[in-house]
């Protein structure tokens, strides 16, 4: 399919060669999300989304577009709406399963969330087949087997931004608050190449799912002369037309799949073809082999110049010591023995007229080789992207004058954004004898400008080897020996396995603390507590002592029944229950407050949709639910208090339910507890009768209290319903 002078070699530097009848770059996430929203609303047959992340909370549209849209903006709601509209539509979502490194920023319990939000014709799977240390890094969407989106962007948090990248933006709001400017590049294409992407996404799906996905459409309009398909996003005109392209992959060794390093081979071959200008923008530049190839080509071709745009500052210690420390080495290798004016390794930043600074985060994976080739893909220039992660890059070839002009337009447009210039002005500068020097000089103040990187301000490289082996490895972190003497890479632990392990660890820690307390705190025993309370009887300190014992006992998960019986036995059938219920309410409120703090800190989302459903039922049942739990204690007193705080129930409902559930039994316990004491002191038919009567009364009061709580809750719900109906009327 490609011409004789093409470097595309199937099976070596690419998986397949093909043609895109139409293709357009989508620069920055606002454009990609807008195009994706448009294509999804037009889908009739199938939607495949393969990603590092697929977050159901992401808003695809913003501002007036969102307000005026007929279809939902949030992707979870959009796919549910579309699937309900067309029951014959099939939607397949394949997201990378898990990574401890990204737990804080990824949607917890993603599979369950999607299953709760969407109808049965939306299928969700988590890919857990990637070797330990690697990730599922392909980002592909195929609509109706007629339109494909692919490149560097995920439907994920902290991604959305516009092309002007303002210093401050209320719309750039992530889980940790506002994030800074972020730049990325994707592409949308139609034509024969979509069939190849359709093969890829179905292959990926079948590796983890038992259900066979819907077959490819035979009637899809993918011929070289076909018109724009109906799912094409109408806001974006095609740039490339009938452009030759190749798909290059990285596939690690997993489940007996032979590894593929087409991306690595393709990039090395592309660099060897450069004559005048290589333009690269990439999230990471750490692969020394790429730096060596660039340096070698610069020395072979003295007319060649190189511009690289990446990010300014690292995020966290691992990124600093693995990627920024390695970028120092990359830069040293690249520049060795080459005139400095021919190379610029840069970042893009701005200082506006108010003196506010911002550094643009680069997440794109783009390379242009003169006007010959353009790469838009998912691969970073890192070790892991060449060998360990799953990647897919689309390489466009300038097979016609029009398509060569589009490659130049892509490069000029991106550099115009990073330098705060107009595209035409940038294009003119790049035609000068020294394009790097022309680009770096004369940049305007108060707009985005390119600056030379100086990574030594972030790291002295003293820990780079350790961090690099964990964050940017070439091989799986753990391999398991097999019978035949070879080694099988261990998979990343599944998200469910990690969550279970964390839960077991938390319970083990709690049990350990309780055991330590019981062994190390001498007075934490029933006998010592009884003795301590006994000393306060008849003094002004009786009630404060009981309250303190309940609060401390609650914090240490001491059984509340033991405390209640002890208080009843010591303070009698009247004051015993009164002191006991006051202590229980104060202890409940204290642990409820701790639970509320933990819930607000993010613990609530760890439980996932199932816990959210239980939370909703608890909130709906309200006082009745709490009273029932208190009367029939199916969980420890202190644990119920913590969980209630994490839940959405109000503290007033919780305390009223606690009172109704605990006070009647406490009165009965007062009789029983006092009777037990009298039996030991003076056994007689009267004291035994008191104890038997107290037990019967205990049961009757449990029944009566539950009836009252249910009546109260029903009356409250009827009142709320009547108010709602009146409001609607």
């Amino acid at each position: 399919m490609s011409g004789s002078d093409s470097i595309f070699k199937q099976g070596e530097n690419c998986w397949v060669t093909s043609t895109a009848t139409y293709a357009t770059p989508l620069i920055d996430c606002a454009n990609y999300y807008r195009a994706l929203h448009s294509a999804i609303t037009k889908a009739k047959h199938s939607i495949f989304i393969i990603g590092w992340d697929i977050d159901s909370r992401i808003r695809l549209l913003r501002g007036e577009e969102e307000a005026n849209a007929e279809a939902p903006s949030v992707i979870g709601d959009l796919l549910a709406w579309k699937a309900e509209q067309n029951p014959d539509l099939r939607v397949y979502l394949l997201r990378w399963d898990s990574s401890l490194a990204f737990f804080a920023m990824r949607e917890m319990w993603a599979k369950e969330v999607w299953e709760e939000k969407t109808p049965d014709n939306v299928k969700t799977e988590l890919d857990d087949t990637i070797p330990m240390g690697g990730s599922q890094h392909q980002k592909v969407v195929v609509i109706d087997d007629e339109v494909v989106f692919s490149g560097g962007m995920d439907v994920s948090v902290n991604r959305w931004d516009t092309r002007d990248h303002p210093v401050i933006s209320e719309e750039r709001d992530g889980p940790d608050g506002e994030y800074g400017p972020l730049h990325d590049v994707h592409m949308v294409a139609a034509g024969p190449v979509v069939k190849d992407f359709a093969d890829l996404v179905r292959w990926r799906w079948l590796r983890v799912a038992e259900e066979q996905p819907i077959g490819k459409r035979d009637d899809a309009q993918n011929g070289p002369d076909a018109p724009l398909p109906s799912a094409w996003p109408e806001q974006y005109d095609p740039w490339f037309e009938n452009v030759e392209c190749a798909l290059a992959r990285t596939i690690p060794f997993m489940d007996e799949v032979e590894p593929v390093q087409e991306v690595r081979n393709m990039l090395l071959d592309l660099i060897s073809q450069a004559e005048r200008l290589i333009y690269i923008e990439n999230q990471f530049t750490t692969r020394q082999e790429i730096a060596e190839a660039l340096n070698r080509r610069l020395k072979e071709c003295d007319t060649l110049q190189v511009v690289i745009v990446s990010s300014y500052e690292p995020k966290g210690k691992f990124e600093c010591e693995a990627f920024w420390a390695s970028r120092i080495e990359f830069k040293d290798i690249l520049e060795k023995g080459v005139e400095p004016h021919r190379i610029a390794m840069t970042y893009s930043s701005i200082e506006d007229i108010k003196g506010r600074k911002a550094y643009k985060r680069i997440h794109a994976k783009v390379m242009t080789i003169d006007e010959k080739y353009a790469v838009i893909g998912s691969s970073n220039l890192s070790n892991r992207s060449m060998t360990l992660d799953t990647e897919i890059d689309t390489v466009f070839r300038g097979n016609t004058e029009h398509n060569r002009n589009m490659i130049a337009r892509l490069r000029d447009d991106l550099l115009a954004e990073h330098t705060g210039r107009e595209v035409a002005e940038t294009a003119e500068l790049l035609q000068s004898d020294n394009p790097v020097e022309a680009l770096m000089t004369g940049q305007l103040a108060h707009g985005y400008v390119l600056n030379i990187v100086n990574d030594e301000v972030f790291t002295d490289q003293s820990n780079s080897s350790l961090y690099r082996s964990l964050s940017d490895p070439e091989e799986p972190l753990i391999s398991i020996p097999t019978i035949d003497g070879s080694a099988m890479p261990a998979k990343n632990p599944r998200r469910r396995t990690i969550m279970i392990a964390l839960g077991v660890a938390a319970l083990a820690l709690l049990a350990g603390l309780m055991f330590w307390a019981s062994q190390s705190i001498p007075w934490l025993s029933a006998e010592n507590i009884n003795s301590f309370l006994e000393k306060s009887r008849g003094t002004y300190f009786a009630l404060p002592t009981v309250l303190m014992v309940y609060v401390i006992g609650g914090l240490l998960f001491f059984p509340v029944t033991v405390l209640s019986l002890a208080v009843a036995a010591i303070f009698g059938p009247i004051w015993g229950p009164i002191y006991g219920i006051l202590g229980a309410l104060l202890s409940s409120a204290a642990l409820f407050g701790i639970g509320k703090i933990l819930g607000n800190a993010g613990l609530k989302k760890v439980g996932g949709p199932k816990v959210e459903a239980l939370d909703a039922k608890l909130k709906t049942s309200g006082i009745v639910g709490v009273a029932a739990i208190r009367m029939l204690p199916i969980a420890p007193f202190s644990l119920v208090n913590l969980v209630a705080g994490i839940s959405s129930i109000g503290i007033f409902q919780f305390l009223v339910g606690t009172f109704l559930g605990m006070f009647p039994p406490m009165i009965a316990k007062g009789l029983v507890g006092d009777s037990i004491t009298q039996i030991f002191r003076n056994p007689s038919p009267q004291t035994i009768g008191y104890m038997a009567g107290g037990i019967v009364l205990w049961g009757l009061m449990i029944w009566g209290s539950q009836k009252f709580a249910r009546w109260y809750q029903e009356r409250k719900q009827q009142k709320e319903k009547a108010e709602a109906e009146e409001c609607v009327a």
Side-chain angles (χ1 to χ4, degrees):
M1 176 142 325
S2 55
S4 58
D5 57 344
S6 169
I7 65 164
F8 298 159
K9 302 172 187 175
Q10 288 187 184
E12 295 183 21
N13 64 13
C14 63
W15 170 42
V16 292
T17 58
S18 188
T19 300
T21 310
Y22 306 101
T24 296
L26 299 169
I27 303 173
D28 292 318
C29 211
N31 285 312
Y32 170 46
Y33 283 0
R34 181 184 297 114
L36 181 62
H37 185 276
S38 173
I40 288 174
T41 61
K42 299 174 182 179
K44 299 175 182 177
H45 175 260
S46 61
I47 299 173
F48 286 84
I49 303 180
I50 311 296
W52 180 88
D53 192 11
I54 311 170
D55 194 309
S56 69
R57 303 165 295 180
I58 300 303
R59 292 159 53 220
L60 299 181
L61 302 179
R62 309 294 170 103
E64 291 185 6
E65 284 183 309
E66 185 174 32
N68 298 330
E70 296 181 3
S73 170
V74 176
I75 191 168
D77 300 334
L78 175 64
L79 290 175
W81 172 81
K82 188 66 184 176
E84 288 167 358
Q85 272 194 336
N86 180 5
D88 293 330
L89 178 72
R90 293 294 179 264
V91 181
Y92 302 93
L93 309 176
L94 180 63
R95 170 192 185 266
W96 182 36
D97 190 321
S98 65
S99 170
L100 282 170
F102 300 105
F103 253 36
M105 65 180 294
R106 288 162 65 89
E107 191 172 28
M108 201 71 69
W109 301 105
K111 179 177 171 64
E112 291 81 358
V113 167
W114 278 106
E115 289 175 348
E116 290 278 340
K117 283 186 175 183
T118 55
D120 292 340
N121 52 334
V122 178
K123 307 296 182 182
T124 306
E125 292 291 346
L126 303 179
D127 192 339
D128 66 340
T129 65
I130 312 302
M132 184 174 292
S135 72
Q136 195 309 96
H137 208 240
Q138 295 170 336
K139 304 112 183 319
V140 180
V141 179
V142 177
I143 309 286
D144 286 347
D145 294 332
E146 291 186 341
V147 171
V148 62
F149 297 89
S150 183
M153 288 188 250
D154 297 284
V155 182
S156 185
V157 298
N158 296 356
R159 294 287 192 268
W160 187 91
D161 203 0
T162 54
R163 291 218 58 188
D164 56 339
H165 302 290
V167 175
I168 304 295
S169 172
E170 293 181 358
E171 290 288 2
R172 290 200 305 255
D173 185 29
D176 299 322
E178 184 180 342
Y179 57 92
L182 187 132
H183 170 76
D184 213 331
V185 179
H186 224 64
M187 70 89 186
V188 57
V193 71
V194 181
K195 291 183 179 180
D196 301 311
F197 276 105
D199 285 339
L200 175 68
V201 296
R202 285 171 171 82
W203 177 75
R204 293 299 310 278
W205 178 264
L206 281 173
R207 285 185 47 73
V208 298
E210 296 180 0
E211 180 177 343
Q212 183 83 20
I214 192 171
K216 287 190 297 181
R217 289 179 59 198
D218 293 333
D219 61 339
Q221 295 183 359
N222 285 325
D225 300 319
L228 278 173
S230 59
W232 184 273
E234 70 277 358
Q235 307 97 324
Y236 299 93
D237 295 328
W239 284 28
F240 297 94
E241 295 182 3
N242 292 314
V243 59
E244 292 179 6
C245 55
L247 303 184
R249 306 165 301 167
T250 298
I251 304 292
F253 181 73
M254 51 184 186
D255 292 347
E256 301 179 357
V257 174
E258 285 299 317
V260 171
Q261 296 182 6
E262 295 156 357
V263 168
R264 168 180 172 268
N265 296 333
M266 175 63 77
L267 294 179
L268 294 175
D269 288 345
L270 286 172
I271 291 168
S272 70
Q273 299 295 303
E275 296 177 345
R276 191 169 184 279
L277 181 62
I278 296 177
Y279 173 62
I280 297 170
E281 56 181 47
N282 207 280
Q283 183 181 8
F284 301 126
T285 52
T286 64
R287 180 76 173 179
Q288 293 187 10
E289 183 181 31
I290 300 296
E292 291 166 355
L294 289 168
N295 179 268
R296 183 166 54 251
R297 186 58 185 167
L298 282 162
K299 291 176 178 176
E300 291 172 351
C301 183
D302 58 11
T303 59
L304 179 64
Q305 301 199 4
V306 175
V307 178
I308 300 176
V309 181
S310 193
S311 302
Y312 169 64
E313 56 190 339
K315 291 185 177 180
K317 190 69 173 178
F318 274 88
E319 191 168 275
C320 178
E321 298 301 333
F323 294 102
W324 262 244
S326 297
R327 193 165 74 175
I328 294 174
E329 297 177 13
F330 185 99
K331 186 171 182 284
D332 289 342
I333 294 170
L334 171 63
E335 296 176 343
K336 186 176 182 180
V338 178
E339 300 90 333
H341 70 271
R342 296 173 59 197
I343 302 170
M345 279 193 68
T346 67
Y347 62 89
S348 184
S349 67
I350 187 173
E351 182 174 356
D352 65 13
I353 57 176
K354 296 181 180 180
R356 299 176 301 184
K357 293 183 178 180
Y359 301 94
K360 191 186 299 180
R361 180 82 176 175
I362 303 298
H363 193 262
K365 300 90 171 59
V366 170
M367 179 184 291
T368 65
I369 306 295
D370 302 324
E371 289 79 36
K372 300 175 183 177
Y373 296 96
V375 181
I376 299 177
S378 66
S379 305
N380 291 308
L381 302 185
S382 61
N383 293 326
R384 60 184 310 117
S385 283
M386 300 299 115
T387 60
L388 191 56
D389 295 342
T390 57
E391 305 283 8
I392 183 73
D393 288 358
T394 306
V395 187
F396 298 104
R397 176 174 174 251
N399 57 312
T400 66
E401 182 178 358
H402 171 80
N403 289 329
R404 287 191 291 274
N405 290 337
M406 291 304 101
I407 293 173
R409 177 183 173 185
L410 172 64
R411 176 197 64 209
D412 300 345
D413 196 339
L414 293 171
L415 279 168
E417 177 188 308
H418 298 318
T419 60
R421 296 184 171 104
E422 296 296 325
V423 177
E425 180 188 359
T426 305
E428 185 177 346
L429 292 174
L430 294 179
Q431 295 305 313
S432 64
D433 293 336
N434 193 331
V436 168
E437 188 176 283
L439 196 67
M440 297 299 294
T441 57
Q443 300 183 76
L444 299 177
H446 308 312
Y448 274 97
V449 296
L450 286 179
N451 307 274
I452 300 298
V453 300
N454 179 22
D455 295 325
E456 285 80 2
V457 300
F458 299 112
T459 174
D460 60 5
Q461 299 180 285
S462 58
N463 299 314
S464 61
S465 297
L466 171 63
Y467 285 94
R468 189 182 305 165
S469 64
L470 295 173
S471 293
D472 191 24
E474 293 187 67
E475 299 178 351
L477 296 182
I478 298 177
S479 294
I480 302 171
T482 59
I483 298 175
D484 61 2
S486 60
M488 175 71 71
K491 299 178 184 177
N492 278 311
R494 299 189 66 182
R495 168 195 53 95
R496 193 178 297 275
T497 303
I498 294 173
M499 295 306 300
I500 292 173
L502 290 175
V504 170
L507 289 174
L509 178 62
L510 179 61
L513 288 173
M514 292 174 64
F515 178 78
W516 173 85
S518 65
Q519 299 297 312
S520 304
I521 303 176
W523 53 265
L524 194 60
S525 66
E527 295 79 7
N528 288 333
I529 290 174
N530 282 347
S531 176
F532 184 67
L533 291 172
E534 185 79 41
K535 292 178 182 177
S536 70
R537 187 171 62 176
T539 71
Y540 293 112
F541 302 105
L543 178 58
T545 300
V546 171
L547 296 180
M548 180 184 69
V549 168
Y550 266 93
V551 171
I552 295 175
L555 293 172
L556 295 175
F557 279 63
F558 193 82
V560 71
T561 302
V562 175
L563 285 179
S564 299
L565 287 171
V567 170
I570 293 170
F571 296 99
I574 297 177
W575 290 109
I578 294 174
Y579 286 175
I581 193 63
L582 290 175
L585 289 174
L586 182 61
S587 180
S588 297
L591 283 163
F592 182 94
I594 294 173
K596 184 65 68 177
I597 293 171
L598 294 174
N600 292 338
L603 190 59
K604 188 183 295 185
K605 75 174 185 177
V606 171
K610 305 298 182 185
V611 171
E612 288 183 7
L614 182 62
D615 176 24
K617 290 179 181 178
L618 180 62
K619 187 177 181 181
T620 302
S621 62
I623 293 172
V624 174
V626 176
I629 292 173
R630 293 307 195 191
M631 284 184 280
L632 301 171
I634 57 176
F637 172 78
S638 298
L639 183 61
V640 170
N641 297 332
L642 280 173
V643 171
I646 294 170
S647 77
S648 302
I649 194 171
I651 189 170
F652 176 76
Q653 283 184 305
F654 178 66
L655 292 179
V656 170
T658 296
F659 176 82
L660 293 175
M662 293 191 71
F663 191 52
M666 276 196 176
I667 295 175
K669 287 177 187 177
L671 291 172
V672 172
D674 189 63
S675 299
I676 292 173
T677 304
Q678 294 302 324
I679 286 172
F680 279 106
R681 292 178 178 175
N682 182 26
S684 67
Q686 184 180 13
T687 55
I688 295 174
Y690 274 135
M691 186 176 73
I695 293 173
V696 173
L697 180 61
W698 187 340
L700 289 173
M701 295 188 77
I702 287 175
W703 176 81
S705 177
Q706 191 171 11
K707 295 285 286 185
F708 173 78
R710 184 173 287 109
W711 169 83
Y712 177 87
Q713 188 70 15
E714 289 175 353
R715 182 183 175 190
K716 181 181 178 184
Q717 290 175 350
Q718 289 173 358
K719 183 179 179 182
E720 291 175 349
K721 183 179 179 181
E723 290 176 352
E725 291 175 351
E726 182 180 343
C727 181
V728 170

